[in-house]
Amino acid sequence: MIIAHLSDLHLDGEPRAEERVAAVLAYLRGLARPVDAVVVTGDIADHGTATEYARAAELLEYPAPVLVCPGNHDVRAEFRAGLLGLPPSDEPIDSAQEVGGVLFAMCDSTIPGRGAGFLADETLTWLDDVLSGGDGPAIVAFHHPPVEVGVPLVDGIRQRGEERLAAVLARHPRVKALLAGHVHTGASTVFAGVPLRIAPGVVSQSLLPVEPGADRGWAEGGPLDFERPPGLLLHVLHDDGRVTSHQRVVPL
């Protein structure tokens, strides 16, 4: 199985973000065959408006399941209506779908009105129940990584309460990988003994403290590089349960 992993589209009604998302989807459509699933780990809209989600739904059309979860820039009611075709609600957006024998659990790690992340008790209970429904391979996705990754911009607003997630994962060895976004840079680490893969941003790339420009103030664009092209990850889920991740940069 090959899984395309996108994050941080930040569609805002302006041409720049739309062109970047369109370029990434054009890359995916140009592959020798469609990937088996596309996972988008949040911040799909920049302001969380109905118009932004309507455009996202158009741009993300693809001949394979497109699985989404919200990020801190998303708004639950509009996200639910615009991307999932569900009645508007401010409740956490958690969804699960099996694709090719693999369970994808898309979790809502947002705290409405805040940048930081947290998996609500109801989300963790839901995740525990979903993962208890079988023993085939599973992928768990959310926006906020539950560990520091060395990028101060996002380490201060990462997912908290991570020990609760670790306890759930310990009960379910079927989880082969965790997928996240939020960092705006491709990164790979481990959480609770499970591979954690973080997708690069489509809209921009964040800078590590050692990179030139990382000390810029927000008036100068902050520690973000808006000139670098968009990127994505392609995860290969092997028959033995291993996950190999390949990063791709998409020329504009």
Side-chain angles (χ1 to χ4, degrees), residues 76 91-92 94 107-111 118-129 159-165 168 171:
R76 286 174 174 173
E91 296 300 310
D94 303 313
C107 304
D108 188 340
S109 64
T110 67
I111 307 171
F118 184 81
L119 294 176
D121 288 343
E122 61 192 283
T123 292
L124 285 174
T125 298
W126 168 86
L127 179 61
D128 202 11
D129 289 344
Q159 184 187 142
R160 302 291 177 174
E162 65 274 14
E163 68 285 349
R164 299 153 52 254
L165 172 61
V168 172
R171 292 193 288 274

PDB file of all heavy atoms in Angstrom, residues 76 91-92 94 107-111 118-129 159-165 168 171:
ATOM      1  N   ARG A  76     -14.560  23.575  13.164  1.00  0.00           N
ATOM      2  CA  ARG A  76     -15.228  22.277  13.125  1.00  0.00           C
ATOM      3  C   ARG A  76     -16.536  22.268  12.351  1.00  0.00           C
ATOM      4  O   ARG A  76     -16.769  21.378  11.523  1.00  0.00           O
ATOM      5  CB  ARG A  76     -15.465  21.782  14.560  1.00  0.00           C
ATOM      6  CG  ARG A  76     -14.207  21.296  15.255  1.00  0.00           C
ATOM      7  CD  ARG A  76     -14.486  20.953  16.703  1.00  0.00           C
ATOM      8  NE  ARG A  76     -13.318  20.343  17.352  1.00  0.00           N
ATOM      9  CZ  ARG A  76     -13.250  20.081  18.648  1.00  0.00           C
ATOM     10  NH1 ARG A  76     -14.278  20.350  19.431  1.00  0.00           N
ATOM     11  NH2 ARG A  76     -12.156  19.536  19.147  1.00  0.00           N
ATOM     12  N   GLU A  91     -18.648  19.544  17.840  1.00  0.00           N
ATOM     13  CA  GLU A  91     -18.061  18.379  18.499  1.00  0.00           C
ATOM     14  C   GLU A  91     -16.787  17.953  17.772  1.00  0.00           C
ATOM     15  O   GLU A  91     -16.588  18.264  16.599  1.00  0.00           O
ATOM     16  CB  GLU A  91     -19.062  17.228  18.506  1.00  0.00           C
ATOM     17  CG  GLU A  91     -20.312  17.498  19.316  1.00  0.00           C
ATOM     18  CD  GLU A  91     -19.984  17.777  20.775  1.00  0.00           C
ATOM     19  OE1 GLU A  91     -19.232  16.979  21.375  1.00  0.00           O
ATOM     20  OE2 GLU A  91     -20.458  18.801  21.304  1.00  0.00           O
ATOM     21  N   PRO A  92     -15.878  17.225  18.460  1.00  0.00           N
ATOM     22  CA  PRO A  92     -14.653  16.741  17.804  1.00  0.00           C
ATOM     23  C   PRO A  92     -14.968  15.947  16.545  1.00  0.00           C
ATOM     24  O   PRO A  92     -15.970  15.221  16.472  1.00  0.00           O
ATOM     25  CB  PRO A  92     -14.003  15.852  18.872  1.00  0.00           C
ATOM     26  CG  PRO A  92     -14.492  16.408  20.174  1.00  0.00           C
ATOM     27  CD  PRO A  92     -15.910  16.855  19.887  1.00  0.00           C
ATOM     28  N   ASP A  94     -13.924  13.078  14.556  1.00  0.00           N
ATOM     29  CA  ASP A  94     -13.173  11.820  14.539  1.00  0.00           C
ATOM     30  C   ASP A  94     -13.839  10.879  13.541  1.00  0.00           C
ATOM     31  O   ASP A  94     -15.063  10.719  13.556  1.00  0.00           O
ATOM     32  CB  ASP A  94     -13.162  11.180  15.928  1.00  0.00           C
ATOM     33  CG  ASP A  94     -12.591  12.102  16.989  1.00  0.00           C
ATOM     34  OD1 ASP A  94     -11.529  12.694  16.750  1.00  0.00           O
ATOM     35  OD2 ASP A  94     -13.225  12.241  18.058  1.00  0.00           O
ATOM     36  N   CYS A 107      -8.092  11.519  13.828  1.00  0.00           N
ATOM     37  CA  CYS A 107      -8.443  12.073  15.134  1.00  0.00           C
ATOM     38  C   CYS A 107      -8.393  13.599  15.138  1.00  0.00           C
ATOM     39  O   CYS A 107      -7.543  14.208  14.486  1.00  0.00           O
ATOM     40  CB  CYS A 107      -7.483  11.552  16.210  1.00  0.00           C
ATOM     41  SG  CYS A 107      -7.397   9.759  16.330  1.00  0.00           S
ATOM     42  N   ASP A 108      -9.260  14.199  15.902  1.00  0.00           N
ATOM     43  CA  ASP A 108      -9.312  15.653  16.061  1.00  0.00           C
ATOM     44  C   ASP A 108      -8.485  16.039  17.282  1.00  0.00           C
ATOM     45  O   ASP A 108      -8.866  15.775  18.418  1.00  0.00           O
ATOM     46  CB  ASP A 108     -10.766  16.089  16.238  1.00  0.00           C
ATOM     47  CG  ASP A 108     -10.940  17.599  16.213  1.00  0.00           C
ATOM     48  OD1 ASP A 108      -9.946  18.322  16.434  1.00  0.00           O
ATOM     49  OD2 ASP A 108     -12.075  18.053  15.992  1.00  0.00           O
ATOM     50  N   SER A 109      -7.325  16.665  17.037  1.00  0.00           N
ATOM     51  CA  SER A 109      -6.457  17.091  18.145  1.00  0.00           C
ATOM     52  C   SER A 109      -6.577  18.582  18.415  1.00  0.00           C
ATOM     53  O   SER A 109      -5.746  19.153  19.113  1.00  0.00           O
ATOM     54  CB  SER A 109      -4.994  16.744  17.827  1.00  0.00           C
ATOM     55  OG  SER A 109      -4.531  17.463  16.693  1.00  0.00           O
ATOM     56  N   THR A 110      -7.610  19.230  17.875  1.00  0.00           N
ATOM     57  CA  THR A 110      -7.723  20.680  18.022  1.00  0.00           C
ATOM     58  C   THR A 110      -8.419  21.077  19.320  1.00  0.00           C
ATOM     59  O   THR A 110      -9.235  20.333  19.870  1.00  0.00           O
ATOM     60  CB  THR A 110      -8.485  21.300  16.841  1.00  0.00           C
ATOM     61  OG1 THR A 110      -9.855  20.879  16.867  1.00  0.00           O
ATOM     62  CG2 THR A 110      -7.868  20.892  15.509  1.00  0.00           C
ATOM     63  N   ILE A 111      -8.094  22.275  19.764  1.00  0.00           N
ATOM     64  CA  ILE A 111      -8.799  22.949  20.856  1.00  0.00           C
ATOM     65  C   ILE A 111      -9.371  24.216  20.246  1.00  0.00           C
ATOM     66  O   ILE A 111      -8.612  25.127  19.901  1.00  0.00           O
ATOM     67  CB  ILE A 111      -7.849  23.311  22.015  1.00  0.00           C
ATOM     68  CG1 ILE A 111      -7.074  22.078  22.486  1.00  0.00           C
ATOM     69  CG2 ILE A 111      -8.625  23.944  23.162  1.00  0.00           C
ATOM     70  CD1 ILE A 111      -5.971  22.401  23.485  1.00  0.00           C
ATOM     71  N   PHE A 118      -4.758  18.843  21.780  1.00  0.00           N
ATOM     72  CA  PHE A 118      -5.116  17.957  22.880  1.00  0.00           C
ATOM     73  C   PHE A 118      -6.164  16.993  22.365  1.00  0.00           C
ATOM     74  O   PHE A 118      -7.113  17.407  21.701  1.00  0.00           O
ATOM     75  CB  PHE A 118      -5.672  18.775  24.052  1.00  0.00           C
ATOM     76  CG  PHE A 118      -5.992  17.966  25.284  1.00  0.00           C
ATOM     77  CD1 PHE A 118      -4.992  17.614  26.179  1.00  0.00           C
ATOM     78  CD2 PHE A 118      -7.291  17.577  25.559  1.00  0.00           C
ATOM     79  CE1 PHE A 118      -5.287  16.883  27.323  1.00  0.00           C
ATOM     80  CE2 PHE A 118      -7.588  16.840  26.690  1.00  0.00           C
ATOM     81  CZ  PHE A 118      -6.575  16.496  27.583  1.00  0.00           C
ATOM     82  N   LEU A 119      -5.997  15.715  22.628  1.00  0.00           N
ATOM     83  CA  LEU A 119      -7.011  14.722  22.269  1.00  0.00           C
ATOM     84  C   LEU A 119      -8.011  14.623  23.415  1.00  0.00           C
ATOM     85  O   LEU A 119      -7.656  14.204  24.524  1.00  0.00           O
ATOM     86  CB  LEU A 119      -6.375  13.363  21.996  1.00  0.00           C
ATOM     87  CG  LEU A 119      -5.463  13.278  20.763  1.00  0.00           C
ATOM     88  CD1 LEU A 119      -4.822  11.895  20.675  1.00  0.00           C
ATOM     89  CD2 LEU A 119      -6.214  13.596  19.481  1.00  0.00           C
ATOM     90  N   ALA A 120      -9.252  15.035  23.162  1.00  0.00           N
ATOM     91  CA  ALA A 120     -10.285  14.999  24.189  1.00  0.00           C
ATOM     92  C   ALA A 120     -10.504  13.567  24.678  1.00  0.00           C
ATOM     93  O   ALA A 120     -10.226  12.598  23.962  1.00  0.00           O
ATOM     94  CB  ALA A 120     -11.586  15.569  23.637  1.00  0.00           C
ATOM     95  N   ASP A 121     -11.032  13.443  25.894  1.00  0.00           N
ATOM     96  CA  ASP A 121     -11.298  12.115  26.441  1.00  0.00           C
ATOM     97  C   ASP A 121     -12.210  11.316  25.516  1.00  0.00           C
ATOM     98  O   ASP A 121     -12.006  10.116  25.317  1.00  0.00           O
ATOM     99  CB  ASP A 121     -11.937  12.239  27.823  1.00  0.00           C
ATOM    100  CG  ASP A 121     -10.946  12.713  28.885  1.00  0.00           C
ATOM    101  OD1 ASP A 121      -9.723  12.638  28.644  1.00  0.00           O
ATOM    102  OD2 ASP A 121     -11.407  13.170  29.955  1.00  0.00           O
ATOM    103  N   GLU A 122     -13.210  11.983  24.921  1.00  0.00           N
ATOM    104  CA  GLU A 122     -14.136  11.260  24.043  1.00  0.00           C
ATOM    105  C   GLU A 122     -13.435  10.769  22.773  1.00  0.00           C
ATOM    106  O   GLU A 122     -13.765   9.709  22.250  1.00  0.00           O
ATOM    107  CB  GLU A 122     -15.333  12.130  23.693  1.00  0.00           C
ATOM    108  CG  GLU A 122     -14.996  13.398  22.945  1.00  0.00           C
ATOM    109  CD  GLU A 122     -16.171  14.350  22.869  1.00  0.00           C
ATOM    110  OE1 GLU A 122     -17.076  14.087  22.046  1.00  0.00           O
ATOM    111  OE2 GLU A 122     -16.173  15.337  23.615  1.00  0.00           O
ATOM    112  N   THR A 123     -12.443  11.531  22.311  1.00  0.00           N
ATOM    113  CA  THR A 123     -11.681  11.099  21.142  1.00  0.00           C
ATOM    114  C   THR A 123     -10.842   9.879  21.472  1.00  0.00           C
ATOM    115  O   THR A 123     -10.777   8.926  20.687  1.00  0.00           O
ATOM    116  CB  THR A 123     -10.789  12.248  20.633  1.00  0.00           C
ATOM    117  OG1 THR A 123     -11.618  13.283  20.108  1.00  0.00           O
ATOM    118  CG2 THR A 123      -9.839  11.769  19.542  1.00  0.00           C
ATOM    119  N   LEU A 124     -10.197   9.889  22.630  1.00  0.00           N
ATOM    120  CA  LEU A 124      -9.371   8.745  23.013  1.00  0.00           C
ATOM    121  C   LEU A 124     -10.222   7.499  23.265  1.00  0.00           C
ATOM    122  O   LEU A 124      -9.817   6.385  22.909  1.00  0.00           O
ATOM    123  CB  LEU A 124      -8.544   9.086  24.244  1.00  0.00           C
ATOM    124  CG  LEU A 124      -7.347  10.009  24.002  1.00  0.00           C
ATOM    125  CD1 LEU A 124      -6.685  10.385  25.316  1.00  0.00           C
ATOM    126  CD2 LEU A 124      -6.334   9.367  23.063  1.00  0.00           C
ATOM    127  N   THR A 125     -11.400   7.684  23.859  1.00  0.00           N
ATOM    128  CA  THR A 125     -12.308   6.552  24.051  1.00  0.00           C
ATOM    129  C   THR A 125     -12.748   5.991  22.702  1.00  0.00           C
ATOM    130  O   THR A 125     -12.772   4.767  22.489  1.00  0.00           O
ATOM    131  CB  THR A 125     -13.536   6.977  24.864  1.00  0.00           C
ATOM    132  OG1 THR A 125     -13.100   7.419  26.160  1.00  0.00           O
ATOM    133  CG2 THR A 125     -14.519   5.832  25.021  1.00  0.00           C
ATOM    134  N   TRP A 126     -13.080   6.893  21.775  1.00  0.00           N
ATOM    135  CA  TRP A 126     -13.449   6.482  20.420  1.00  0.00           C
ATOM    136  C   TRP A 126     -12.303   5.732  19.757  1.00  0.00           C
ATOM    137  O   TRP A 126     -12.503   4.672  19.145  1.00  0.00           O
ATOM    138  CB  TRP A 126     -13.838   7.721  19.608  1.00  0.00           C
ATOM    139  CG  TRP A 126     -13.969   7.470  18.142  1.00  0.00           C
ATOM    140  CD1 TRP A 126     -15.075   7.012  17.487  1.00  0.00           C
ATOM    141  CD2 TRP A 126     -12.949   7.640  17.147  1.00  0.00           C
ATOM    142  NE1 TRP A 126     -14.813   6.886  16.140  1.00  0.00           N
ATOM    143  CE2 TRP A 126     -13.514   7.267  15.900  1.00  0.00           C
ATOM    144  CE3 TRP A 126     -11.628   8.079  17.177  1.00  0.00           C
ATOM    145  CZ2 TRP A 126     -12.795   7.318  14.713  1.00  0.00           C
ATOM    146  CZ3 TRP A 126     -10.909   8.130  15.996  1.00  0.00           C
ATOM    147  CH2 TRP A 126     -11.482   7.756  14.777  1.00  0.00           C
ATOM    148  N   LEU A 127     -11.083   6.259  19.868  1.00  0.00           N
ATOM    149  CA  LEU A 127      -9.928   5.624  19.230  1.00  0.00           C
ATOM    150  C   LEU A 127      -9.694   4.239  19.804  1.00  0.00           C
ATOM    151  O   LEU A 127      -9.426   3.279  19.060  1.00  0.00           O
ATOM    152  CB  LEU A 127      -8.690   6.500  19.412  1.00  0.00           C
ATOM    153  CG  LEU A 127      -7.379   5.964  18.831  1.00  0.00           C
ATOM    154  CD1 LEU A 127      -7.477   5.774  17.333  1.00  0.00           C
ATOM    155  CD2 LEU A 127      -6.222   6.885  19.186  1.00  0.00           C
ATOM    156  N   ASP A 128      -9.785   4.109  21.108  1.00  0.00           N
ATOM    157  CA  ASP A 128      -9.601   2.811  21.762  1.00  0.00           C
ATOM    158  C   ASP A 128     -10.625   1.805  21.244  1.00  0.00           C
ATOM    159  O   ASP A 128     -10.289   0.651  20.932  1.00  0.00           O
ATOM    160  CB  ASP A 128      -9.738   2.990  23.273  1.00  0.00           C
ATOM    161  CG  ASP A 128      -9.060   1.882  24.060  1.00  0.00           C
ATOM    162  OD1 ASP A 128      -8.312   1.075  23.468  1.00  0.00           O
ATOM    163  OD2 ASP A 128      -9.260   1.828  25.290  1.00  0.00           O
ATOM    164  N   ASP A 129     -11.870   2.246  21.112  1.00  0.00           N
ATOM    165  CA  ASP A 129     -12.935   1.356  20.626  1.00  0.00           C
ATOM    166  C   ASP A 129     -12.702   0.964  19.172  1.00  0.00           C
ATOM    167  O   ASP A 129     -12.864  -0.204  18.796  1.00  0.00           O
ATOM    168  CB  ASP A 129     -14.296   2.042  20.769  1.00  0.00           C
ATOM    169  CG  ASP A 129     -14.741   2.170  22.213  1.00  0.00           C
ATOM    170  OD1 ASP A 129     -14.166   1.473  23.069  1.00  0.00           O
ATOM    171  OD2 ASP A 129     -15.655   2.974  22.484  1.00  0.00           O
ATOM    172  N   GLN A 159       0.828  18.824  20.745  1.00  0.00           N
ATOM    173  CA  GLN A 159      -0.224  18.081  21.447  1.00  0.00           C
ATOM    174  C   GLN A 159       0.221  17.773  22.881  1.00  0.00           C
ATOM    175  O   GLN A 159       1.289  17.216  23.109  1.00  0.00           O
ATOM    176  CB  GLN A 159      -0.521  16.775  20.701  1.00  0.00           C
ATOM    177  CG  GLN A 159      -1.663  15.972  21.282  1.00  0.00           C
ATOM    178  CD  GLN A 159      -1.822  14.610  20.612  1.00  0.00           C
ATOM    179  OE1 GLN A 159      -2.126  13.615  21.267  1.00  0.00           O
ATOM    180  NE2 GLN A 159      -1.601  14.550  19.303  1.00  0.00           N
ATOM    181  N   ARG A 160      -0.602  18.153  23.827  1.00  0.00           N
ATOM    182  CA  ARG A 160      -0.343  17.875  25.247  1.00  0.00           C
ATOM    183  C   ARG A 160      -1.192  16.696  25.723  1.00  0.00           C
ATOM    184  O   ARG A 160      -2.063  16.206  25.018  1.00  0.00           O
ATOM    185  CB  ARG A 160      -0.630  19.115  26.081  1.00  0.00           C
ATOM    186  CG  ARG A 160       0.173  20.336  25.680  1.00  0.00           C
ATOM    187  CD  ARG A 160       1.645  20.175  25.997  1.00  0.00           C
ATOM    188  NE  ARG A 160       2.425  21.319  25.537  1.00  0.00           N
ATOM    189  CZ  ARG A 160       3.721  21.487  25.798  1.00  0.00           C
ATOM    190  NH1 ARG A 160       4.375  20.579  26.507  1.00  0.00           N
ATOM    191  NH2 ARG A 160       4.360  22.542  25.343  1.00  0.00           N
ATOM    192  N   GLY A 161      -0.922  16.259  26.959  1.00  0.00           N
ATOM    193  CA  GLY A 161      -1.634  15.104  27.486  1.00  0.00           C
ATOM    194  C   GLY A 161      -1.281  13.830  26.762  1.00  0.00           C
ATOM    195  O   GLY A 161      -2.067  12.882  26.706  1.00  0.00           O
ATOM    196  N   GLU A 162      -0.046  13.806  26.221  1.00  0.00           N
ATOM    197  CA  GLU A 162       0.339  12.709  25.337  1.00  0.00           C
ATOM    198  C   GLU A 162       0.450  11.361  26.041  1.00  0.00           C
ATOM    199  O   GLU A 162       0.403  10.309  25.384  1.00  0.00           O
ATOM    200  CB  GLU A 162       1.663  13.037  24.648  1.00  0.00           C
ATOM    201  CG  GLU A 162       2.852  13.158  25.568  1.00  0.00           C
ATOM    202  CD  GLU A 162       3.024  14.540  26.186  1.00  0.00           C
ATOM    203  OE1 GLU A 162       2.088  15.360  26.118  1.00  0.00           O
ATOM    204  OE2 GLU A 162       4.108  14.783  26.752  1.00  0.00           O
ATOM    205  N   GLU A 163       0.591  11.365  27.371  1.00  0.00           N
ATOM    206  CA  GLU A 163       0.684  10.091  28.084  1.00  0.00           C
ATOM    207  C   GLU A 163      -0.608   9.287  27.947  1.00  0.00           C
ATOM    208  O   GLU A 163      -0.599   8.047  27.985  1.00  0.00           O
ATOM    209  CB  GLU A 163       1.024  10.325  29.558  1.00  0.00           C
ATOM    210  CG  GLU A 163      -0.052  11.001  30.392  1.00  0.00           C
ATOM    211  CD  GLU A 163      -0.183  12.502  30.141  1.00  0.00           C
ATOM    212  OE1 GLU A 163       0.692  13.078  29.458  1.00  0.00           O
ATOM    213  OE2 GLU A 163      -1.160  13.088  30.646  1.00  0.00           O
ATOM    214  N   ARG A 164      -1.738   9.965  27.761  1.00  0.00           N
ATOM    215  CA  ARG A 164      -3.027   9.297  27.577  1.00  0.00           C
ATOM    216  C   ARG A 164      -3.075   8.590  26.227  1.00  0.00           C
ATOM    217  O   ARG A 164      -3.565   7.471  26.103  1.00  0.00           O
ATOM    218  CB  ARG A 164      -4.158  10.312  27.701  1.00  0.00           C
ATOM    219  CG  ARG A 164      -4.182  10.978  29.056  1.00  0.00           C
ATOM    220  CD  ARG A 164      -4.797  12.376  29.065  1.00  0.00           C
ATOM    221  NE  ARG A 164      -6.098  12.474  28.458  1.00  0.00           N
ATOM    222  CZ  ARG A 164      -6.329  13.039  27.263  1.00  0.00           C
ATOM    223  NH1 ARG A 164      -5.315  13.535  26.548  1.00  0.00           N
ATOM    224  NH2 ARG A 164      -7.563  13.099  26.784  1.00  0.00           N
ATOM    225  N   LEU A 165      -2.551   9.243  25.200  1.00  0.00           N
ATOM    226  CA  LEU A 165      -2.457   8.602  23.886  1.00  0.00           C
ATOM    227  C   LEU A 165      -1.512   7.414  23.944  1.00  0.00           C
ATOM    228  O   LEU A 165      -1.798   6.351  23.372  1.00  0.00           O
ATOM    229  CB  LEU A 165      -1.971   9.618  22.853  1.00  0.00           C
ATOM    230  CG  LEU A 165      -1.644   9.067  21.465  1.00  0.00           C
ATOM    231  CD1 LEU A 165      -2.857   8.436  20.806  1.00  0.00           C
ATOM    232  CD2 LEU A 165      -1.061  10.174  20.581  1.00  0.00           C
ATOM    233  N   VAL A 168      -3.199   4.331  25.202  1.00  0.00           N
ATOM    234  CA  VAL A 168      -4.065   3.687  24.209  1.00  0.00           C
ATOM    235  C   VAL A 168      -3.228   2.889  23.218  1.00  0.00           C
ATOM    236  O   VAL A 168      -3.536   1.734  22.901  1.00  0.00           O
ATOM    237  CB  VAL A 168      -4.928   4.736  23.481  1.00  0.00           C
ATOM    238  CG1 VAL A 168      -5.680   4.090  22.320  1.00  0.00           C
ATOM    239  CG2 VAL A 168      -5.907   5.386  24.447  1.00  0.00           C
ATOM    240  N   ARG A 171      -2.016  -0.569  24.115  1.00  0.00           N
ATOM    241  CA  ARG A 171      -3.003  -1.654  24.078  1.00  0.00           C
ATOM    242  C   ARG A 171      -3.254  -2.153  22.660  1.00  0.00           C
ATOM    243  O   ARG A 171      -3.954  -3.162  22.477  1.00  0.00           O
ATOM    244  CB  ARG A 171      -4.330  -1.174  24.684  1.00  0.00           C
ATOM    245  CG  ARG A 171      -4.272  -0.906  26.176  1.00  0.00           C
ATOM    246  CD  ARG A 171      -5.660  -0.758  26.764  1.00  0.00           C
ATOM    247  NE  ARG A 171      -6.307   0.499  26.378  1.00  0.00           N
ATOM    248  CZ  ARG A 171      -6.155   1.650  27.026  1.00  0.00           C
ATOM    249  NH1 ARG A 171      -5.336   1.716  28.079  1.00  0.00           N
ATOM    250  NH2 ARG A 171      -6.801   2.730  26.643  1.00  0.00           N
TER     251      ARG A 171
END
